């Protein structure tokens, strides 16, 4: 089915082929007799009275019944499985299975809406799974945090891309659609009760309570009741027999107590109702697909501003080329590496980001102008010189003071910014270029490369290889202090050293790998544990 017919707006003849019901709002009840006192006519059925009170068409109620039958059980299974995977466990071996389950769940639900999945959308699904795998492979809290943000972001981008025609969406439109989808999904929670009420009403009216074809309903009810009941029973049995409690704790790491029992129930509720609400929101297709192009500002204003800025940037760029690049990266007199890098790097990075936002804004809001395009191109070229200058300054700083995670992150940000600016230059001359899709692909791929590269491993390997080779590094108790606090990703390097600082490193990371169950197994933590025992 073509996505263009995927509509949940007011019912019109043009949308008669859509499998997604509309959301009519008639001013009069469908069955007027049902709202009047009995006058000798046939007494309306219970289903008719419900339909009259809710003022929903048969088409809408048909779809509500379908959602209760299809989306309800799928959300229930997803909620139970995901609770097992991620409760107190965002870094374990179950994280990749959570990512795969999330993608399967979304694909199944979109199939119920007769949405034809787009081939380009599979990148977002692959990125989602990549983030979940990264959580299992790394011991870095930084990546654990941003991987979870990436998973949430990819869920909404994947759904938006497949449900809507986003081929003409610009950067701001797509960003706003993600925000709107998140908050509007919360309001869709009311549809759960309405969907289930329609299903109950129709089954009651049809008197199918004994029909074995509808046993799934009772299975769902039984599972919903069993979740808190099983939690309470496990709590009581674990307190009655310590051997049973030890088995549960050792192999599943579910500490059976009131806190965890409550935590499991809350986690399940959030996953079940949250997943139902998000996918139910996308079944309505309430967001507007059209993009309002407001390129009506007078270009003379932007030309004036950019002309002044361009002159300044050109002078600055010439200085960078002559004194920094062609000068062999020699430092000015009376400057140390730290002073030169610190005084220039962050300022240049800030100016580069400002240039990116400025060119993006002007390109989207000002009328066409050849002079304006030329000036934006000059600004972009100067920005590349600033990015190169920032990179060379940071390399000078690293050569003198070794690596830290922040310094690696800075170099990564510069690489991302350089690739994004290439797309900005293209969008100056080609306005239909999908900058958001390009940006998501670039940032996701480079982020995953950074995550899978394990920066803490690179830091330990580089610093320890250089720390004894340069005199300025010998007074570096702080260097060892920094290495002691790296994540378990650095364990393969640090395990080769038998110094006290290496012992402190493994002691600092014990919390991440000691006492973990199979469900909570993290590859980086497991590696550190094995290396710690073999030292």
């Amino acid at each position: 089915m073509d996505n263009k017919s995927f509509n949940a707006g007011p019912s019109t003849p043009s949308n008669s082929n859509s499998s997604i019901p509309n959301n009519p709002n008639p001013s009069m009840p469908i069955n007027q007799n049902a709202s009047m006192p009995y006058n000798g006519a046939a007494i309306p059925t219970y289903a008719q009275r419900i339909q009259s009170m809710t003022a929903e068409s048969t088409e809408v109620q048909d779809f509500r019944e379908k959602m209760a039958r299809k989306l309800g059980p799928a959300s229930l299974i997803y909620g139970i499985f995901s609770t097992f995977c991620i409760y107190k466990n965002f870094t374990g071996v179950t994280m990749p299975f959570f990512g795969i389950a999330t993608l399967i769940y979304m694909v199944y639900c979109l199939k119920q809406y007769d949405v034809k999945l787009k081939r380009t959308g599979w990148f977002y699904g692959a990125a989602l799974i990549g983030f979940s795998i990264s959580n299992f492979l790394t011991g870095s809290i930084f990546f654990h945090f941003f991987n979870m943000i990436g998973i949430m972001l990819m869920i909404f981008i994947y759904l938006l891309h497949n449900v809507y025609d986003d081929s003409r969406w610009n950067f701001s439109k797509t960003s706003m659609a993600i925000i709107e989808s998140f908050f509007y999904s919360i309001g869709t929670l009311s549809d759960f009760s309405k969907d289930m009420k329609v299903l109950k009403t129709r089954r009651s009216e049809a008197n199918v309570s004994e029909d074995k074809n509808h046993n799934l309903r009772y299975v769902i009810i039984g599972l919903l009741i069993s979740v808190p009941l099983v939690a309470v029973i496990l709590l009581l049995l674990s307190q009655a027999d310590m051997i049973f409690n030890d088995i549960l704790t050792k192999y599943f790491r579910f500490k059976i107590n009131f806190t965890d029992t409550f935590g499991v129930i809350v986690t399940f509720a959030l996953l079940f109702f949250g997943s139902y609400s998000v996918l139910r929101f996308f079944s309505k297709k309430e967001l507007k697909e059209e993009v309002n192009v407001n390129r009506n500002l007078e270009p003379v204003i932007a030309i004036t501003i950019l002309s002044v800025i361009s002159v300044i940037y050109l002078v600055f760029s010439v200085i960078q080329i002559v004194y920094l690049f062609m000068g062999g990266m020699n430092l000015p007199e009376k400057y140390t590496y730290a002073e030169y890098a610190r005084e220039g790097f962050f300022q240049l990075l800030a100016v580069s980001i400002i240039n990116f936002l400025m060119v993006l804004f002007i390109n989207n809001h000002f009328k066409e102008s050849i002079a304006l395009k030329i000036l934006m191109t000059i600004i972009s070229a100067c920005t590349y010189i600033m990015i190169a200058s920032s990179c060379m300054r940071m390399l000078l700083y690293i050569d003198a003071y070794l690596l830290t995670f922040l310094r690696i992150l800075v170099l990564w940000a510069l690489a991302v910014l350089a690739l994004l600016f290439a797309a900005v230059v293209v969008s100056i001359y080609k306005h239909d270029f999908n900058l958001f899709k390009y940006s998501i692909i670039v940032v996701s791929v480079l982020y995953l490369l950074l995550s899978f590269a394990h920066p803490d491993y690179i830091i330990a390997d580089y610093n320890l290889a250089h720390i004894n080779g340069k005199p300025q590094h010998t007074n570096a108790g702080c260097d060892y202090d920094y290495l002691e606090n790296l994540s378990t990703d650095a364990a393969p390097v640090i395990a080769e050293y038998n110094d006290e600082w290496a012992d402190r490193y493994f002691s600092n990371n014990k919390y991440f790998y000691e006492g973990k169950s199979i469900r909570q197994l993290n590859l980086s933590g497991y590696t550190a544990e094995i290396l710690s025992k073999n030292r």
Side-chain angles (χ1 to χ4, degrees):
M1 176 179 177
D2 188 1
N3 285 355
K4 292 183 179 178
S5 64
F6 180 73
N7 191 7
S11 180
T12 62
S14 63
N15 290 333
S16 60
N17 294 329
S18 175
S19 65
I20 301 301
N22 298 307
N23 189 19
N25 187 24
S27 58
M28 294 292 293
I30 295 175
N31 185 357
Q32 295 186 22
N33 288 334
S35 62
M36 300 172 61
Y38 178 64
N39 56 5
I43 299 176
T45 64
Y46 178 69
Q48 290 173 327
R49 292 197 299 271
I50 292 296
Q51 186 182 48
S52 176
M53 288 186 291
T54 57
E56 288 185 336
S57 68
T58 302
E59 184 185 17
V60 172
Q61 294 201 20
D62 287 343
F63 189 71
R64 287 199 181 280
E65 181 182 5
K66 180 181 179 180
M67 289 296 94
R69 290 177 181 273
K70 300 293 186 179
L71 185 58
S75 300
L76 177 65
I77 296 172
Y78 175 74
I80 293 174
F81 182 77
S82 297
T83 300
F84 171 78
C85 289
I86 69 174
Y87 177 68
K88 286 189 174 181
N89 185 40
F90 291 107
T91 64
V93 68
T94 55
M95 274 301 299
F97 295 101
F98 167 73
I100 295 172
T102 301
L103 183 59
I104 293 175
Y105 170 72
M106 292 191 296
V107 170
Y108 169 81
C109 293
L110 293 181
K111 289 292 186 181
Q112 304 309 310
Y113 308 153
D114 294 329
V115 172
K116 184 178 180 180
L117 301 180
K118 301 174 183 176
R119 286 182 295 178
T120 52
W122 289 111
F123 170 82
Y124 305 125
L128 186 156
I129 296 176
F131 292 138
S132 62
I133 293 175
S134 174
N135 260 23
F136 163 62
L137 297 179
T138 183
S140 171
I141 296 176
F142 174 89
F143 289 115
H144 293 158
F145 176 77
F146 282 100
N147 284 338
M148 296 307 299
I149 292 179
I151 290 173
M152 291 294 297
L153 185 63
M154 288 303 157
I155 288 174
F156 283 96
I157 294 177
Y158 179 83
L159 292 172
L160 284 169
H161 178 67
N162 282 291
V163 171
Y164 293 90
D165 180 11
D166 62 345
S167 58
R168 296 181 178 273
W169 288 10
N170 53 30
F171 200 97
S172 57
K173 170 64 179 178
T174 310
S175 300
M176 284 304 301
I178 294 173
I179 297 173
E180 289 173 346
S181 299
F182 177 80
F183 287 103
Y184 289 166
S185 295
I186 299 175
T188 315
L189 185 60
S190 60
D191 282 296
F192 174 80
S193 60
K194 294 177 182 178
D195 295 347
M196 296 302 166
K197 183 180 292 185
V198 169
L199 179 63
K200 179 181 178 181
T201 300
R202 290 192 167 187
R203 284 180 171 172
S204 176
E205 184 66 24
N207 194 24
V208 295
S209 59
E210 299 300 326
D211 192 340
K212 59 184 179 181
N213 292 328
H214 298 277
N215 286 336
L216 180 61
R217 171 192 178 188
Y218 303 108
V219 173
I220 295 174
I221 295 175
L223 288 174
L224 286 173
I225 296 175
S226 68
V227 171
L229 185 60
V230 167
V232 173
I233 291 175
L234 288 176
L235 172 63
L236 295 175
L237 291 179
S238 65
Q239 293 179 346
D241 190 284
M242 295 306 298
I243 297 177
F244 180 72
N245 181 60
D246 289 341
I247 292 174
L248 289 176
T249 303
K250 180 179 180 181
Y251 292 102
F252 296 98
R253 212 60 191 173
F254 280 125
K255 295 181 179 180
I256 309 301
N257 53 50
F258 284 105
T259 302
D260 282 310
T261 301
F262 179 76
V264 168
I265 294 174
V266 170
T267 302
F268 165 76
L270 289 175
L271 287 167
F272 172 62
F273 291 110
S275 61
Y276 191 97
S277 298
V278 171
L279 270 299
R280 190 65 174 87
F281 167 76
F282 280 95
S283 74
K284 298 181 176 183
K285 199 181 180 183
E286 293 181 336
L287 299 180
K288 296 181 179 179
E289 287 187 340
E290 62 271 16
V291 180
N292 296 324
V293 179
N294 298 317
R295 301 190 64 198
N296 51 12
L297 297 180
E298 180 55 48
V300 176
I301 299 174
I303 291 173
T304 304
I305 296 172
L306 294 187
S307 296
V308 176
I309 296 176
S310 296
V311 172
I312 298 173
Y313 282 178
L314 286 171
V315 174
F316 181 85
S317 298
V318 170
I319 294 174
Q320 300 302 299
I321 294 173
V322 173
Y323 289 95
L324 184 60
F325 302 152
M326 297 178 63
M329 299 180 64
N330 292 323
L331 295 181
E333 293 183 4
K334 299 182 180 179
Y335 268 82
T336 65
Y337 285 109
E339 290 172 340
Y340 190 68
R342 287 176 178 172
E343 285 183 3
F345 168 74
F346 289 105
Q347 291 87 339
L348 290 176
L349 179 61
V351 171
S352 299
I353 295 174
I354 291 173
N355 291 346
F356 177 81
L357 298 176
M358 180 175 61
V359 173
L360 198 63
F361 177 82
I362 292 175
N363 195 36
N364 291 331
H365 293 86
F366 284 82
K367 296 178 183 178
E368 288 277 352
S369 171
I370 297 177
L372 189 57
K373 289 182 177 181
I374 294 174
L375 287 171
M376 286 192 291
T377 305
I378 293 174
I379 294 290
S380 301
C382 292
T383 303
Y384 271 107
I385 294 176
M386 294 178 187
I387 292 173
S389 178
S390 299
C391 182
M392 295 183 73
R393 291 166 188 258
M394 181 51 63
L395 291 175
L396 285 173
Y397 195 74
I398 291 172
D399 184 64
Y401 296 99
L402 301 181
L403 280 174
T404 64
F405 184 79
L406 179 60
R407 293 163 198 169
I408 290 180
L409 197 61
V410 161
L411 293 175
W412 176 84
L414 290 173
V416 171
L417 193 58
L419 291 175
L420 293 183
F421 240 106
V424 171
V425 174
V426 173
S427 66
I428 292 174
Y429 298 94
K430 187 179 180 182
H431 289 290
D432 59 349
F433 181 77
N434 198 321
L435 182 60
F436 183 87
K437 183 184 295 184
Y438 173 89
S439 301
I440 287 295
I441 292 175
V442 166
V443 174
S444 299
V445 170
L446 291 186
Y447 173 84
L448 287 172
L449 288 175
L450 179 68
S451 174
F452 286 117
H454 289 178
D456 283 357
Y457 176 93
I458 297 174
I459 292 168
D461 185 59
Y462 180 88
N463 289 6
L464 289 170
H466 288 74
I467 199 167
N468 296 320
K470 296 185 179 181
Q472 63 264 40
H473 297 154
T474 55
N475 185 24
C478 60
D479 289 333
Y480 289 110
D481 292 339
Y482 181 79
L483 294 176
E484 291 172 14
N485 292 285
L486 294 176
S487 70
T488 52
D489 294 348
V493 176
I494 297 179
E496 298 178 3
Y497 295 82
N498 295 318
D499 301 321
E500 292 184 3
W501 65 269
D503 295 334
R504 290 193 294 269
Y505 162 81
F506 282 100
S507 178
N508 291 339
N509 282 287
K510 277 185 178 180
Y511 78 95
F512 192 68
Y513 56 76
E514 279 194 345
K516 299 295 182 180
S517 67
I518 297 177
R519 187 179 71 95
Q520 296 173 311
L521 175 68
N522 176 275
L523 185 60
S524 177
Y526 176 75
T527 302
E529 182 177 20
I530 297 300
L531 292 173
S532 175
K533 293 178 179 179
N534 295 334
R535 293 181 69 240

